[in-house]
Amino acid sequence: MKNNQFARISADHQTVIDELQQIHFMDNEVNEASTSAAAYRLLLRKACVNVQGEHGFDTKLRNYLATPDTDLKDYLNAGEPITAEVFYLVVLQLCGFLPGDDFSMDEPLAAMKEMQLPMLEAVGAWTRAQVLDAWYLLLTTHTKDGQTFLDLLTNQGYFVPFYDLSARQKPLFFNGKSQAVFDTSKLICEVVYVESSVDSDHDGNRDLLKVEIIRPADTENGLKVPALFTASPYNQDTNDEAGAKAMHKVNVPLTEKQPNNLSYKDIAYHDEKMELPDPRSINGETKYAAETFSREYSYTLNDYFLARGFAAVYSAGIGTLDSDGIQTCGNPQQTEATINVIEWLNGKRCAYTNRTDHIAITAWWCNGSVAMTGRSYLGTLATAAATTGVEGLKTIISEAAISSWYGYYREGGLMIAPDGYPGEDADVLAIETMSRMKAAADYHLHIKDYFDMQMKKMARDMERESGNYNTFWDARNYLKKVKNIKCDVLMVHGLNDWNVKPGQVEQLWQALRDVPVTKKIILHQGQHIYINAFRSIDYTDMINLWISHELYGVQNGAKELLPNVIVQDNVIPETWTVYQDWSEPSMARETYHFSEGKLDIASTGYKVVTFKDSLPFDHFKRYAEHLDQWQRDILAEEPNDLSANRLLFKTVPVDKDMIIDGRVRVHVQASSNHSFGMLSFQLVDYGEAKRFNVSPTPIPMRKIGLGYRWREDQLREFTLAKFATPFKMISKGHINLQNRENAWKVDELKPDQFYSIDVDLQPTFHRLAAGHQLGLVVYATDFGMTVRGNQDLRYSLELGNCRLDVPLR
Amino acid sequence: MKNNQFARISADHQTVIDELQQIHFMDNEVNEASTSAAAYRLLLRKACVNVQGEHGFDTKLRNYLATPDTDLKDYLNAGEPITAEVFYLVVLQLCGFLPGDDFSMDEPLAAMKEMQLPMLEAVGAWTRAQVLDAWYLLLTTHTKDGQTFLDLLTNQGYFVPFYDLSARQKPLFFNGKSQAVFDTSKLICEVVYVESSVDSDHDGNRDLLKVEIIRPADTENGLKVPALFTASPYNQDTNDEAGAKAMHKVNVPLTEKQPNNLSYKDIAYHDEKMELPDPRSINGETKYAAETFSREYSYTLNDYFLARGFAAVYSAGIGTLDSDGIQTCGNPQQTEATINVIEWLNGKRCAYTNRTDHIAITAWWCNGSVAMTGRSYLGTLATAAATTGVEGLKTIISEAAISSWYGYYREGGLMIAPDGYPGEDADVLAIETMSRMKAAADYHLHIKDYFDMQMKKMARDMERESGNYNTFWDARNYLKKVKNIKCDVLMVHGLNDWNVKPGQVEQLWQALRDVPVTKKIILHQGQHIYINAFRSIDYTDMINLWISHELYGVQNGAKELLPNVIVQDNVIPETWTVYQDWSEPSMARETYHFSEGKLDIASTGYKVVTFKDSLPFDHFKRYAEHLDQWQRDILAEEPNDLSANRLLFKTVPVDKDMIIDGRVRVHVQASSNHSFGMLSFQLVDYGEAKRFNVSPTPIPMRKIGLGYRWREDQLREFTLAKFATPFKMISKGHINLQNRENAWKVDELKPDQFYSIDVDLQPTFHRLAAGHQLGLVVYATDFGMTVRGNQDLRYSLELGNCRLDVPLR
């Protein structure tokens, strides 16, 4: 077990005393205790939340070893002094570590160091001041259950007496982070309908947007709270059956495209001035909503903050159940509707209590400060909102977010499906999230015809067959407007996310370089996942520190304390390393030249090698049904049914660890035997090793409490697989051979003629361990991502003119 | 989608009116409404829990189709009559079904039938009485989310106004089932320490048992509630690391056993009179506990009932954190400690508020009636408790429970690991559940030495190497005392549970035949799982009906209404069929004779065939690491690395569906080339088909609410796999060739001599679809279950004297 905490603030002794007083650990009794051990016993007593009576408390003390052969009750009764050894032997047990299993009871200090738990290293008998300093440190230290010791006490009810603090005394910050002094059994749930500035369903009325609000009851007594706004098109349910029906066929041929001479300006999207109906006229005002709800589709990170003085606000946006409009899959109307909710929270826009009475309601309980949260499409809309510079939006925490939809559904002039969703496309996602379908009368009587028509238009505009970048995609490219961003940006992405690929966050990271806002990024080894329930990193604490600063204005040094770049190591579990940057443009690059089966430092001469793309039908069918087998065989060195369908090049084993940081560039001289073709590349780490399991492992029986008797999450962690594997894909890339210059301009491809092709693979941060080999696999049909035409295509590479440029840290 | 409800009571009109009045759907306004449509509108209004104001309600009505081209608001405004077509078109939408995806809006009645949803089939315009009858029916009907419509309203807050009912008006039953009129935000959590009648740690004091209680606040006002008691050794955490370290090696040879002449009476366990220390002397009494807790490790079925007027009681028992004693893995002391908790709940035993003050506390809030719940070890302890006939225990709901530990860790004179846990054994489980280890001082200073000694003794007594049934196992055989059972028994088991195998429940089922209690059994297609969050069966409702009757004495006809045997079909999803019995001793049997590769109706002559057991080391290693590959290859017909390590026999394709009901018996004439040996058998369904996925599929975004703003479960259902598979294992069995007579008597085995061997495979209920073939695979080493000696063993069968007896329904 290794602890990694980035959000813990070092406090001087006066701050320790002040803050311990604020949360009632420090009081006269502690101050006047006869010895430091007596003071320590009082602190322990306060932490023993669930036991009444001194004898019951004594029994609990009997559970802990103070030394390898004395229990804590006897030790304290004997009037022995508190030393670092005693204090930390108890700390380890309080934090859930077991002598024998997790540490040696003879060496608690070594164990603390080994597990990277912070400690006060004072020799001899401790003073009361040292006990208090160490107690403060303990409260901010993560336990074996992935939360601070104070959060553990919180979940046991420590802060229940604080629920009655007056609104003026709330929120309560400790170590720079807002604490759970809000009664979650009294949260107020309200629905309002924000009037947007779009009419996406063309019905002559501005689209009303259903917004769900959950706010602390203290707001009724004068407290104004910030809002965590999660814009989630999935939030009012999804149309899984309709989406499944709308899926496109992927077993279709790749076809020749007519060459064109388009330049970017020919296809650039320009903001359109839409004609907009007049706003509704207000018929009255009220402070109270007329609709509530019992359960929202929530993000557990928001749940955690509901106990800590933040409101959670959910809106599914245009085209969703109980809202107006239609789903557009990321177009500017959707962005506009998203920020309209922020404008309401910030006091600049009208909302109504229901859809017909026009009784206005303001977000009077909100302090006007908003952060956006959420993963995937949710983070995407956060990114979109940020690029408008909308007032009130102080920060976005965008996780696994799309920054340009082209890169989500396309790449290099090819349709490229997000991993795991072959056949999906922009129109499918629009249909899937068009939850107005769930209101059958609303949908069938009023919206279906128009929506169907729009979906037909979208199917044309998105040009699935050509795969080209065009006006449709340019309208859905948020990167164009990154310079407008005024809020701070905290990004999170999985280096193994082949759904929303790492390039999506890297493009945003690069585009933000010159934008004068604070930006932070956390790169983890997961796929398309949330990381707020990981044991080895204090992600939730970081967000607490961050939004306490951004939304409550607490001067906690969040911007300086949180590292700019944190990367989870891919070799050693529970290792998160701080860097100053990622994918720096000036990164040194190593060039490898291709020769048969090899990636060499020196170039070899002229040599043509060829591979086929088609498969016998039964092989084709098997691989199409079992994408995991396809993925294994396309990379495996031993002969298999795909051996002739790819070329494999490998370096010699590297003699020391090598870190690839950024985008690997592939340059090939290639030909197709037809007038069309595509190439795919996978960068591979070859070497027998126990690697991380693909998904984090839930830690059995270990739930994370998000507050006292409140919702929960499942603690998890990336663990090493039980058995070694011979390789792992690091990155990949694809290109249509007719899009050699860029994704919009189509070039002619003459059969059997060699062309120079450059492809930047998806960016990575990968440690290639000493003894491993870096490999590149070149192939065409990517069973999980491209069309699967099973055509009689053959591709050739002229190896003398092929190379790999690898950015090395 | 197919609905299967077994707990819905048909009600006459007067009952309908009475019960609708009780839950406030029926009132004067409804009674005096001008038309049946107006009454219907009022019912809908009451069901629209979260919207204030008529206009807001109107907007919600606009979401529903009343006819394919009119919404419900317009339809009701127009004063049109309510017909079955209108009512059920709306019902389908209210229940979450979507026109287009789930049904055709032109044929709502056909859809209701197709989905097996109950309906009132009255033609023409409905009267108010018919509307009310149909509304009652709707409230008891399952929605697409796997709960009744009334439960759906419950989760939206329908019963919140009922929280204030007086204790005398609670509980509230509707359709024979207790309703969620208890405020879960006010539940009272208490810890008491029951003084048991065992001293399992031999420390001279009766073991105190920590008991966690959660009870409705209404008990403070005079309501007495029954208790759902879950005895779970896992509940105070588990020692996973220590358990992992204690795992036994399985790559060890099978060895020859010394023949013996034991009869059962030689090894029978007889109850021992243990010397017992005096009870503690009581120092005082109190009504209130001195210790609470914030979160118990709960079973969601209990959570559901916490909102419905039941207390939940958890105890981990001897050897667990904050209790005394040691873990014994199922011995009589553990049973005694388990029923001691029931005795306290039933007013017949003392508990204390803490471990030292001897202040007694009674279960004054309990009506004395107890049901035990829980799966696996939890259900096992329920079974154990039932066999004592303890007073107050009215029923057990034992899920996937062990009835005799020998069959859990052994079989036929062999060590047989529960599936997925090779290397586990009784001592490992005792160590894993000995959560007193979590209190380091208590454990290391007071108990470790004694426990280590006891574990060494257990390791000897359990005779892992011989695999024989002995006194150790006889002491852990609850079947011996089934005749003492006085409570009703509801059993649940997975037909694909190879952890706690189906034989465990079948033995109990058989033993209960002559015991004068009510017994019910539900057999599902899962492995070792809970079934209370399934969409296609109303399991939770059944339990509600059952315990409302058993614990509150409600005369709801539960014993008659609930079928004796419900079996989930293994071919067609969402199909649960009622039978009168399972594995009847008198079931007709079909005999198949072995010939090379075949199972024939006619016997063939003398023919010896042979297979080996050893493997080249690399194959052995691969299979040991990838049990799924081993399991696939041992059954696969195409040649593979295990083809010579097994014999495969198959019937011709069956010409119509065939149901195997009970235990298939294998009779072989077999020899080993050594003086020891074992045989394993798998009964297999051969035939290309899309079969159920191994685990139920979570239904995305579909949580089951267990009350209003209360805990949740994840809705799930067994679905067909995306692709066809060629076979599936139905059942299996194992025998040590030296235990030909029984599991305790060891016979001599002469090398190369043929012996007659009979093995009853695990019982099943399996539909072999027309066109499929029944297969039997005979082999020796079972990589997932037996020792893996990789020895030079060869086995031969004399086919002319081999046969399979199949019980066919």
Side-chain angles (χ1 to χ4, degrees), chain A residues 194 196-198 209 336-344 349:
Chain A
V194 166
S196 74
S197 285
V198 299
L209 307 172
E336 175 66 25
T338 303
I339 64 168
N340 292 165
V341 176
I342 298 172
E343 289 163 348
W344 175 71
R349 178 172 291 270

Side-chain angles (χ1 to χ4, degrees), chain B residues 403-455:
Chain B
S403 58
S404 171
W405 286 85
Y406 183 80
Y408 186 63
Y409 286 123
R410 305 283 184 270
E411 182 184 349
L414 288 173
M415 184 290 297
I416 294 293
D419 187 42
Y421 299 92
E424 197 186 290
D425 212 323
D427 59 342
V428 176
L429 186 59
I431 290 166
E432 199 158 299
T433 53
M434 177 72 188
S435 54
R436 276 183 84 177
M437 282 188 205
K438 299 281 174 183
D442 172 45
Y443 183 66
H444 285 278
L445 305 181
H446 305 126
I447 194 71
K448 184 173 184 304
D449 290 346
Y450 180 75
F451 184 64
D452 286 351
M453 193 179 76
Q454 290 302 111
M455 286 304 100

